[in-house]
Amino acid sequence: MKIKEIDLKKVKPYGDALDDGKIQFSFTLPVPYGDEAKECAKRYLELLGFENVMITHMDKMGLGFSFFIAYGVANKTIDFTSIVVPKATKEVWDKHTIVEKIEKDLGRKIVVVGACIESDAHTVGIDAILNMKGIAGHKGLESYHGIEVYNLGAQVPSEEVIAFAKKVNADVILISQIVTQKDVHIANMTKFIELLEAEKLRDKVLTVAGGPRITHELALELGFDAGFSVGTFPEDVATFILQSLLKKKNDKRI
Amino acid sequence: MKINSVKSKLDLDKKIIDESRDYAKEIVEDVQKFIDLRSTSSVERAVLRLFGVEWYSEEQQLPYVNIIVDKLINDNLISRGSTYYLVNGLLRTGLPLKEFCDNIVSGKISFKSIEPLDFEVVKKKAMDMALSSSEKIEQNVVKRNQMIKDYGEGQPPYLYLIVATGNIYEDVVQAQNAARSGADIIAVIRSTAQSLLDYVPHGATTEGFGGTYATQENFRIMRNALDEVSKEVGKYIRLVNYCSGLCMPEIAALGALERLDVMLNDSMYGILFRDINMQRTFVDQYFSRMINSFAEIVINTGEDNYLTTSDAFEKAHTVLASELINEQFALKAYMPQRLMGLGHAFEIDPDIENQFLYELAQAQMIKEIFPNSPLKYMPPTKFMTGNIFRGHVQDALFNAVSIMSGQTIHLLGMLTEAIHTPFMMDRHLSLENAKMVFKTMRNISDEIEFKKDGIISNRAKKVLNDAHNLLKEITKKGLMESISEGIFADIKRSLDGGKGFNGVFIKDDNYLNPFEKIFIEKLKMRNPQFS
């Protein structure tokens, strides 16, 4: 049987047939449970431009709140071929290659300092990248021959991280931010970069930010050299660091 | 709290359990000798709060208790404790408490300028005053029991939900709705980094990061809101806060005065995860626990956190070892087992084959080793992702283990754990998930037995053996030395390092803390195991 061909210039959501435009929703409205609530939820999705809206589930949540699960059909299409996402690295090397290149091409050890700064107490991310154990079978940077790691842990003031980085002559500072309520991560990261600039270290040290709500683009915007999000493995970060340091080394030579 | 009874079915060696407990006891007794000689600035502030010093200086932007204790420290008087100087001052000046404190805070009167009365005279007056304060706390205990009798309560595993908007009034809306959706216990998450503040913020607060400040006024507001909704839903809704960080004993005092029901309170969490000085933490946890015990507040220990940094499969035994240590610390503070909500968590990587079996083995093992404690079971966090559908399944597995192993305090897992502080609908879905699993599996624990030498039973035995060996090792080095070597959660902390060390001091021969005396005496009468 012949099926429609996908036009990457005109993409829309796929439910169980090409271009059916189906999207699922779940949301809450601050209105009391009842028929009016259901109709209100339906009309709201229609207002957003969805067609054939179905409220498939509605539940009462305490006093004056209703919860909905719904489906709707989207009409708009998007040009997939026009999408460009900035990335920290083009090509990711494996651990073996990285260790080899550090020794042969860079010819010196790399000093990495990492911390969850300011109010953030969640070290899951920084630990996954730095600690020996790593994450999902990918060993952390501590296990890399040629990389010296200092993981300063949770709630470290930016001032302390920078002072420590100075002391150990760090090549790279890794900043982890997991809590993002009220954009506290933006405030923390901005403060860090400002302090780094005040210390005239901004151009001497590579800065890398990581966290579930951090993109490479956001990190660049805030003045970092790179940003990594969920799904990042230690080798992704190590590759970026090494590629940057190698580039610096070559630039100097020229 | 009601505690489910679960039959022993793992065939654990009682001798190994007993020996492990003995090691833990030995470890804690060693630290207790250290604790008994010391007090801290936050213990002294807690004492003042228990006497009713709850005011705040707008001018100095600090609570009275901080200003007063700082003055005692600066005048080199602190080693006798805050009680002696407060009561001596009251007797000498004849002023009422508030007025006397106003004068001290403003500097009109200095402690040094007040002629010291005979120690016994001051002590007698202090005991009378402390007795009347402790009666207020006892009235809270009576009131709680009466409300549970009048309204009833949920059944274990109690459904524990978190609110964390940063605004206490918004928290009230969410907490009341959570109770209407079926929650039994409500925790108001504290603002990030409050644990590192060396004072307790004052008044009703409407802004916080990742949570809401713990203040006496916020405690009152939420307590009233929960009392109101308790009546409406026909069951007593318990309130939780965080008795941890640099103000651990003060939060305990405020919780006792404002009738909180559960407090996060760990003997080592602050040392490991907040880099609070270990001497400070050990001394603070002792008086905190005594206050909690006196107020019949269930504590929750923080072992679940170990597994967020260490591997839950490889380091499961550190959780058990720490629980045994936490149990002994609590006993030293005259806290009976029925108030010890020892913590553990469902944190093994779901990509490991038979993960569910290992989780069940650990949960059942902990239940069998601490059958009389209201265990606190924490949901998956580390392996939660942005895939909320997967997360909902992980939470369902966690719920199943909890009901199968008879856990008491069940912290609800959120499908959006890895994304944000819970939306109202996240709580609703999580409650629905847990209620369905608990209802459909209500009596499963009575129906199942574990195969002798099967995966579950062998796993439990291995974890117990490893914990036994670890405790044995700690007895040789001592707890403080072991922590400095990174034995728990792979985190190393030194004896004099960390925050709050400057608040620790050695007690004078004439040191006075009347609450400690009264609490111990009454706790002995209330709990025959201590007399």
Coordinates of all heavy atoms in Angstrom, one line a residue, chain B residues 338-382:
Chain B
R338 N 9.2 4.4 68.7 CA 8.0 4.7 68.0 C 8.0 6.1 67.4 O 7.1 6.5 66.7 CB 6.8 4.5 68.9 CG 6.7 5.5 70.0 CD 5.6 5.2 71.0 NE 5.9 5.9 72.3 CZ 5.7 7.2 72.5 NH1 5.1 7.9 71.5 NH2 6.0 7.7 73.6
L339 N 9.0 6.9 67.8 CA 9.1 8.2 67.2 C 10.3 8.3 66.2 O 10.5 9.4 65.6 CB 9.4 9.3 68.3 CG 8.2 9.4 69.3 CD1 8.6 10.5 70.4 CD2 6.9 9.9 68.6
M340 N 11.0 7.2 66.0 CA 12.1 7.3 65.1 C 11.8 6.9 63.6 O 11.7 5.7 63.3 CB 13.2 6.3 65.5 CG 13.8 6.6 66.9 SD 15.0 5.3 67.2 CE 15.1 5.4 69.0
G341 N 11.5 7.8 62.8 CA 11.2 7.6 61.4 C 12.5 7.4 60.6 O 12.9 8.4 59.9
L342 N 13.1 6.3 60.7 CA 14.4 6.1 60.1 C 14.2 6.1 58.5 O 13.2 5.5 58.1 CB 15.0 4.8 60.5 CG 15.3 4.7 62.0 CD1 15.6 3.3 62.5 CD2 16.4 5.7 62.4
G343 N 15.1 6.7 57.8 CA 14.8 6.9 56.4 C 15.6 5.9 55.5 O 16.7 5.5 55.8
H344 N 15.0 5.6 54.4 CA 15.6 4.9 53.3 C 14.9 5.2 52.0 O 13.9 5.9 52.0 CB 15.8 3.4 53.6 CG 14.4 2.7 53.8 ND1 14.1 1.6 53.0 CD2 13.4 3.0 54.6 CE1 12.9 1.2 53.3 NE2 12.4 2.0 54.3
A345 N 15.4 4.7 50.9 CA 14.9 5.1 49.6 C 15.0 4.1 48.6 O 15.7 3.1 48.6 CB 15.7 6.4 49.2
F346 N 14.1 4.3 47.6 CA 14.1 3.5 46.4 C 14.9 4.1 45.3 O 14.4 4.9 44.5 CB 12.6 3.4 46.0 CG 12.2 2.5 44.8 CD1 11.6 1.3 45.1 CD2 12.3 2.9 43.5 CE1 11.2 0.5 44.0 CE2 11.9 2.1 42.5 CZ 11.4 0.9 42.7
E347 N 16.2 3.8 45.3 CA 17.1 4.6 44.4 C 18.0 3.7 43.5 O 19.0 4.2 43.0 CB 18.0 5.6 45.2 CG 17.2 6.8 45.8 CD 16.9 7.9 44.8 OE1 16.9 7.6 43.6 OE2 16.7 9.0 45.2
I348 N 17.7 2.4 43.4 CA 18.5 1.6 42.6 C 18.2 1.9 41.1 O 17.0 2.1 40.7 CB 18.3 0.1 42.9 CG1 18.7 -0.2 44.3 CG2 19.2 -0.8 41.9 CD1 18.5 -1.7 44.8
D349 N 19.2 1.8 40.3 CA 19.1 2.1 38.8 C 18.0 1.1 38.2 O 18.2 -0.1 38.3 CB 20.4 1.9 38.2 CG 20.4 2.3 36.7 OD1 19.4 2.5 36.1 OD2 21.6 2.4 36.2
P350 N 17.0 1.6 37.6 CA 16.0 0.7 37.0 C 16.5 -0.1 35.8 O 15.8 -1.0 35.4 CB 14.8 1.7 36.6 CG 15.4 3.0 36.7 CD 16.6 3.0 37.5
D351 N 17.7 0.3 35.4 CA 18.2 -0.5 34.3 C 18.9 -1.8 34.8 O 19.3 -2.6 34.0 CB 19.3 0.3 33.5 CG 18.6 1.3 32.5 OD1 17.4 1.0 32.2 OD2 19.2 2.3 32.2
I352 N 19.0 -1.9 36.1 CA 19.6 -3.2 36.7 C 18.5 -4.2 36.7 O 17.4 -4.0 37.1 CB 20.1 -2.9 38.1 CG1 21.3 -2.0 38.1 CG2 20.5 -4.2 38.8 CD1 21.9 -1.7 39.5
E353 N 18.8 -5.4 36.1 CA 17.8 -6.5 36.1 C 17.5 -6.8 37.5 O 18.3 -6.9 38.4 CB 18.4 -7.7 35.4 CG 17.4 -8.7 35.0 CD 18.0 -9.7 34.0 OE1 19.0 -10.3 34.3 OE2 17.4 -9.8 32.9
N354 N 16.2 -7.1 37.8 CA 15.7 -7.4 39.1 C 15.8 -6.3 40.1 O 15.8 -6.5 41.3 CB 16.4 -8.7 39.7 CG 16.0 -9.9 39.0 OD1 14.8 -10.1 38.7 ND2 16.9 -10.8 38.7
Q355 N 15.9 -5.1 39.6 CA 15.9 -3.9 40.5 C 14.8 -4.0 41.6 O 15.0 -3.8 42.7 CB 15.8 -2.6 39.7 CG 15.7 -1.4 40.5 CD 14.5 -0.5 40.2 OE1 13.5 -1.0 39.6 NE2 14.5 0.7 40.6
F356 N 13.6 -4.3 41.1 CA 12.4 -4.4 42.0 C 12.7 -5.3 43.2 O 12.4 -5.1 44.3 CB 11.2 -4.7 41.2 CG 9.9 -4.7 42.0 CD1 9.2 -3.6 42.2 CD2 9.5 -5.9 42.6 CE1 8.0 -3.6 43.0 CE2 8.3 -5.9 43.4 CZ 7.6 -4.7 43.6
L357 N 13.3 -6.5 42.9 CA 13.5 -7.5 43.9 C 14.5 -6.9 44.9 O 14.4 -7.2 46.1 CB 14.1 -8.8 43.3 CG 13.1 -9.8 42.7 CD1 12.3 -9.2 41.5 CD2 13.8 -11.1 42.3
Y358 N 15.6 -6.2 44.4 CA 16.6 -5.7 45.4 C 16.0 -4.6 46.2 O 16.3 -4.5 47.4 CB 17.8 -5.2 44.6 CG 18.5 -6.2 43.8 CD1 18.8 -6.0 42.4 CD2 18.9 -7.4 44.4 CE1 19.4 -7.0 41.7 CE2 19.6 -8.4 43.7 CZ 19.8 -8.2 42.3 OH 20.4 -9.2 41.6
E359 N 15.1 -3.8 45.6 CA 14.5 -2.7 46.4 C 13.6 -3.4 47.5 O 13.6 -2.9 48.6 CB 13.6 -1.8 45.5 CG 14.4 -1.0 44.5 CD 15.1 0.2 45.1 OE1 15.3 0.3 46.3 OE2 15.6 1.0 44.3
L360 N 12.9 -4.4 47.1 CA 12.0 -5.0 48.0 C 12.8 -5.7 49.2 O 12.4 -5.6 50.3 CB 11.1 -6.1 47.3 CG 10.1 -6.9 48.1 CD1 9.1 -5.9 48.8 CD2 9.3 -7.8 47.2
A361 N 13.9 -6.3 48.8 CA 14.8 -6.9 49.8 C 15.2 -5.9 50.8 O 15.1 -6.2 52.1 CB 16.0 -7.6 49.1
Q362 N 15.6 -4.8 50.4 CA 16.1 -3.7 51.3 C 15.0 -3.2 52.2 O 15.2 -3.0 53.4 CB 16.9 -2.6 50.5 CG 18.3 -3.0 50.2 CD 18.9 -2.2 49.1 OE1 19.6 -2.8 48.3 NE2 18.7 -0.9 49.1
A363 N 13.9 -2.9 51.6 CA 12.8 -2.3 52.3 C 12.3 -3.3 53.4 O 12.1 -2.9 54.6 CB 11.7 -1.9 51.4
Q364 N 12.2 -4.5 53.0 CA 11.7 -5.6 53.9 C 12.8 -5.8 55.0 O 12.4 -5.9 56.2 CB 11.5 -6.9 53.2 CG 11.1 -8.1 54.0 CD 9.7 -8.0 54.5 OE1 8.8 -7.4 53.9 NE2 9.4 -8.7 55.6
M365 N 14.0 -5.8 54.7 CA 15.1 -6.0 55.7 C 15.0 -4.9 56.7 O 15.1 -5.1 57.9 CB 16.4 -6.0 54.9 CG 17.6 -6.0 55.9 SD 19.1 -5.5 55.1 CE 18.8 -3.7 54.9
I366 N 14.9 -3.6 56.2 CA 14.9 -2.5 57.2 C 13.7 -2.6 58.1 O 13.8 -2.4 59.3 CB 15.0 -1.2 56.4 CG1 16.4 -1.1 55.8 CG2 14.7 0.0 57.3 CD1 16.6 0.1 54.8
K367 N 12.6 -3.0 57.5 CA 11.4 -3.2 58.3 C 11.6 -4.3 59.4 O 11.2 -4.1 60.6 CB 10.2 -3.5 57.4 CG 8.9 -3.8 58.1 CD 8.2 -2.6 58.7 CE 7.1 -2.9 59.6 NZ 6.5 -1.8 60.3
E368 N 12.2 -5.3 59.0 CA 12.4 -6.4 60.0 C 13.4 -6.1 61.1 O 13.3 -6.5 62.2 CB 12.9 -7.7 59.3 CG 11.8 -8.3 58.4 CD 12.1 -9.7 57.9 OE1 13.0 -10.3 58.3 OE2 11.4 -10.1 56.9
I369 N 14.4 -5.2 60.7 CA 15.4 -4.8 61.7 C 14.9 -3.7 62.7 O 15.3 -3.6 63.8 CB 16.7 -4.4 61.0 CG1 17.3 -5.6 60.3 CG2 17.7 -3.8 62.0 CD1 18.5 -5.4 59.5
F370 N 13.9 -2.9 62.1 CA 13.3 -1.8 63.0 C 11.8 -2.0 63.0 O 11.1 -1.1 62.5 CB 13.7 -0.4 62.4 CG 15.2 -0.2 62.3 CD1 15.8 -0.4 61.0 CD2 16.0 0.1 63.4 CE1 17.2 -0.2 60.9 CE2 17.4 0.3 63.3 CZ 18.0 0.1 62.0
P371 N 11.3 -3.1 63.5 CA 9.9 -3.3 63.4 C 9.0 -2.3 64.2 O 7.8 -2.1 63.8 CB 9.7 -4.7 64.1 CG 10.9 -4.9 65.0 CD 12.0 -4.1 64.3
N372 N 9.6 -1.6 65.2 CA 8.7 -0.7 66.0 C 8.9 0.8 65.6 O 8.5 1.7 66.3 CB 9.0 -0.9 67.4 CG 8.8 -2.3 67.9 OD1 7.8 -2.9 67.5 ND2 9.8 -2.9 68.6
S373 N 9.6 1.0 64.5 CA 9.9 2.4 64.1 C 9.0 2.8 62.9 O 8.8 1.9 62.0 CB 11.4 2.6 63.7 OG 12.1 2.4 64.9
P374 N 8.5 4.0 62.9 CA 7.7 4.4 61.7 C 8.6 4.8 60.6 O 8.9 6.0 60.4 CB 6.9 5.7 62.3 CG 7.8 6.2 63.4 CD 8.6 5.0 63.9
L375 N 9.0 3.8 59.8 CA 10.0 4.1 58.8 C 9.6 5.0 57.7 O 8.4 5.0 57.3 CB 10.4 2.7 58.1 CG 11.0 1.7 59.0 CD1 11.1 0.4 58.2 CD2 12.3 2.1 59.6
K376 N 10.5 5.9 57.3 CA 10.2 6.8 56.2 C 10.8 6.3 54.9 O 12.0 6.1 54.8 CB 10.8 8.2 56.5 CG 10.5 9.2 55.4 CD 11.4 10.5 55.5 CE 12.8 10.2 55.3 NZ 13.6 11.4 55.0
Y377 N 10.0 6.1 53.9 CA 10.4 5.6 52.7 C 10.4 6.6 51.6 O 9.3 7.2 51.3 CB 9.5 4.4 52.3 CG 10.1 3.4 51.3 CD1 11.5 3.3 51.1 CD2 9.3 2.7 50.4 CE1 12.0 2.4 50.2 CE2 9.8 1.8 49.5 CZ 11.2 1.7 49.4 OH 11.7 0.8 48.4
M378 N 11.5 6.9 51.0 CA 11.6 7.9 50.0 C 11.5 7.4 48.5 O 12.1 6.4 48.2 CB 12.9 8.7 50.2 CG 13.1 9.4 51.5 SD 12.0 10.8 51.6 CE 13.0 12.0 50.6
P379 N 10.9 8.2 47.7 CA 10.7 7.7 46.3 C 11.9 7.9 45.4 O 12.9 8.5 45.8 CB 9.6 8.7 45.8 CG 9.9 9.9 46.5 CD 10.4 9.5 47.9
P380 N 11.9 7.3 44.2 CA 13.0 7.5 43.3 C 13.2 9.0 42.9 O 12.2 9.7 42.7 CB 12.6 6.7 42.0 CG 11.1 6.5 42.2 CD 10.8 6.5 43.6
T381 N 14.5 9.4 42.9 CA 14.8 10.8 42.5 C 15.9 10.8 41.4 O 15.9 11.4 40.4 CB 15.2 11.7 43.6 OG1 16.3 11.1 44.3 CG2 14.1 11.8 44.7
K382 N 16.9 10.0 41.8 CA 18.2 10.0 41.0 C 17.9 9.5 39.6 O 18.5 10.1 38.7 CB 19.2 9.1 41.7 CG 20.6 9.3 41.2 CD 21.5 8.4 42.1 CE 22.9 8.5 41.6 NZ 23.8 7.6 42.4

